[in-house]
Amino acid sequence: MGNLTGCRWLTVFSLVVCVSWMSGCIEQSDTLIDDQGARLSAFNWNVPDHIPLPHEPADNPMSEEKFELGRHLFYDTRLSVNGRVSCGSCHHQDKAFSDGVARPVGATGERHPRNSQALVNVAWYNNLTWANPALGRIEQQVMLPLFGDAPIEHGINEFNKDTILDSIQRVPRYASLFAAAFPEQAEPLQGDLAWDNIVKSIASFVRGLASFNSPFDRNEHSAAARRGEALFNSERLECFHCHDGYNFSNATIDRGITQLEPLFHNTGLYNVDGLGAYPYPNTGRHEVTEVASHMGQFRAPSLRNVELTAPYNHDGSVATLDDVIANYAAGGRLITQGPHVGDGRMSPLKDGFIVSFDISPDEQADLVAFLQSLTDHEFISNPRFSDPWASEPENTL
Ligand code: HEC
Ligand code: HEC
């Protein structure tokens, strides 16, 4: 059990955060229960008709104004202990909101144990982060990087929060952005209410990051990608069992009301105990539940834009898509040197769908071409999702 101080402070907000080290703090995600699709809102999701709209929490419905305020805050380095870290530091638009490093460093120099995730269709997941079954709401998730202390990312705490809020209040543009986003409030930029509003707006921005406009979506993928698609969906390779549906992840919200248990899988990246075991704290779902059989189980991430999000897997320990595929083809990963020497192929808790297969170099190239056909170039260049401060070096307007 770790330090709960940060968590106590967080409860001053209407949102209660469940952090991964609180094993007793498991709660069902409300997205799981309301998985029949969305309530319609005024927000323009800009997704194709066949994609169900995601759930919007009753206490934070989407609005264009909150999304726009959230965009400014997402990219604002004032929201950190050293004035240098924003969400955008670890989530770069040109990399589908991942960051290109194995494990990122937070505002105090602490290295995160896990790889920065891409932020792609986050609203459609039924649980968030690499392996936390207790984290269902984006509002909860946003509080972890802002206020969490294991690891420290933005480093906001009860001692510096007033100074940091003051630096936000001093930016003239925020007065109108907050007023437009929270028109029902007299003073949306004051005190704890301001922090609540900051969390809700950033969550709205993240919720609005929808990506469904790849060549695959437009049915414009190449012949090689189509051959790769057939391999992906074959019983030989098994990929589709876990990366299925319109978001290429079985942790997607519309999978049916009966499926209340979120899905997690051990893909044999490491073994489960002894030499070569999943290195602490990256034991996956087990880190939260402490159930032995959950060792090494992770959420199947969406494969949309995966071409842009190297290095791969929960700890960034796999360099390329070819390496990811090689691990699957071997039925797990054998590590022959370094601190984690061991044989993930032997893991007794490996998912039944992780079985070795033969794949020729041509087939492997086709499979990679298929994964590349899931890249949405509009998503990574859309000004709607871009840094509003980038063209203003003073960062004070
Ligand atoms: C220091 C780097 C860093 C910063 C800063 C950071 N993140 Fe992240 N983000 C990560 C890492 C690492 C993960 C994976 C966390 C895990 O699995 O425990 C992640 C995961 C996420 C997820 C979950 C995505 C999914 O598919 O489930 C969301 C949402 C997210 N971050 C949003 C944000 C927002 C919003 C901010 C700013 C308030 C932010 N992040 C700041 C590194 C960072
Ligand atoms: C048993 C379920 C399962 C099967 C089958 C499966 N995957 Fe995965 N996949 C996962 C999980 C879980 C992860 C994350 C594992 C981790 O990081 O420890 C993952 C990660 C990945 C990643 C890395 C994504 C990232 O953002 O880092 C890629 C690429 C990938 N899988 C492609 C495939 C392909 C291609 C196949 C078929 C050869 C396949 N997967 C089969 C569950 C599965």
Side-chain angles (χ1 to χ4, degrees):
M1 287 295 95
N3 180 352
L4 296 181
T5 320
C7 200
R8 265 202 302 280
W9 180 66
L10 297 182
T11 58
V12 301
F13 305 115
S14 59
L15 305 158
V16 180
V17 74
C18 288
V19 282
S20 57
W21 59 88
M22 297 177 66
S23 60
C25 191
I26 308 286
E27 61 173 42
Q28 273 302 345
S29 142
D30 51 8
T31 51
L32 280 173
I33 293 157
D34 179 14
D35 60 358
Q36 295 305 303
R39 300 176 303 109
L40 288 179
S41 72
F43 188 72
N44 178 9
W45 289 92
N46 193 26
V47 299
D49 288 345
H50 67 277
I51 303 296
L53 295 183
H55 174 74
E56 295 175 36
D59 61 356
N60 192 22
M62 289 296 278
S63 75
E64 188 59 30
E65 291 78 11
K66 263 189 280 188
F67 175 87
E68 184 59 13
L69 169 58
R71 180 168 77 106
H72 282 77
L73 293 164
F74 183 94
Y75 288 107
D76 197 332
T77 56
R78 294 179 194 88
L79 276 179
S80 64
V81 57
N82 63 355
R84 296 210 183 124
V85 170
S86 73
C87 312
S89 304
C90 301
H91 298 289
H92 308 181
Q93 185 183 10
D94 64 343
K95 295 184 169 62
F97 295 95
S98 65
D99 62 2
V101 300
R103 298 189 294 121
V105 171
T108 57
E110 191 177 350
R111 194 169 291 281
H112 200 293
R114 286 176 286 279
N115 180 248
S116 298
Q117 288 175 297
L119 303 182
V120 174
N121 303 336
V122 177
W124 280 264
Y125 279 123
N126 58 21
N127 57 88
L128 301 174
T129 70
W130 282 103
N132 192 338
L135 206 54
R137 279 175 59 108
I138 299 176
E139 286 75 6
Q140 289 178 310
Q141 200 289 325
V142 165
M143 295 173 85
L144 291 180
L146 288 175
F147 312 117
D149 57 7
I152 291 177
E153 293 171 76
H154 292 240
I156 304 174
N157 59 39
E158 53 193 307
F159 304 108
N160 62 31
K161 68 179 176 122
D162 292 340
T163 315
I164 289 173
L165 182 57
D166 183 62
S167 71
I168 295 289
Q169 289 164 338
R170 285 170 188 276
V171 183
R173 189 188 297 181
Y174 276 128
S176 54
L177 285 167
F178 273 80
F182 300 98
E184 70 287 0
Q185 296 174 15
E187 296 195 316
L189 242 175
Q190 298 303 317
D192 285 346
L193 189 58
W195 283 110
D196 198 14
N197 292 340
I198 287 169
V199 167
K200 284 179 169 160
S201 338
I202 297 178
S204 299
F205 176 68
V206 172
R207 193 167 274 126
L209 294 173
S211 172
F212 295 100
N213 192 17
S214 64
F216 169 83
D217 293 293
R218 298 191 303 268
N219 201 17
E220 289 170 6
H221 48 320
S222 66
R226 284 172 207 274
R227 290 192 300 271
E229 181 184 0
L231 286 166
F232 186 89
N233 289 317
S234 70
E235 293 294 344
R236 170 155 62 106
L237 268 61
E238 313 276 12
C239 315
F240 71 102
H241 289 292
C242 304
H243 300 284
D244 64 338
Y246 58 81
N247 205 30
F248 300 92
S249 164
N250 62 10
T252 302
I253 51 173
D254 72 338
R255 291 178 52 86
I257 202 152
T258 49
Q259 189 203 308
L260 287 170
E261 177 85 353
L263 295 170
F264 295 88
H265 313 274
N266 180 333
T267 61
L269 212 56
Y270 298 89
N271 207 329
V272 292
D273 53 20
L275 199 62
Y278 280 88
Y280 180 83
N282 292 339
T283 57
R285 182 190 194 185
H286 166 273
E287 185 197 354
V288 181
T289 64
E290 295 182 350
V291 173
S293 62
H294 295 169
M295 178 59 77
Q297 290 187 336
F298 291 83
R299 184 191 75 183
S302 171
L303 299 180
R304 288 184 171 278
N305 301 301
V306 75
E307 175 187 14
L308 308 170
T309 69
Y312 298 107
N313 288 95
H314 65 269
D315 54 2
S317 62
V318 181
T320 65
L321 287 175
D322 281 314
D323 293 340
V324 172
I325 295 167
N327 289 336
Y328 282 121
R333 180 171 62 172
L334 172 65
I335 303 177
T336 54
Q337 50 189 345
H340 303 302
V341 169
D343 195 347
R345 299 172 305 177
M346 309 307 287
S347 168
L349 297 176
K350 216 175 61 175
D351 191 287
F353 287 121
I354 305 297
V355 282
S356 57
F357 53 82
D358 291 326
I359 184 166
S360 72
D362 284 352
E363 288 177 325
Q364 171 122 355
D366 289 345
L367 183 57
V368 170
F370 169 62
L371 296 174
Q372 290 170 336
S373 78
L374 303 177
T375 302
D376 177 347
H377 289 281
E378 184 200 23
F379 179 67
I380 59 168
S381 58
N382 192 341
R384 236 176 110 60
F385 305 144
S386 68
D387 180 355
W389 312 105
S391 55
E392 296 156 19
E394 302 301 315
N395 203 7
T396 53
L397 296 176

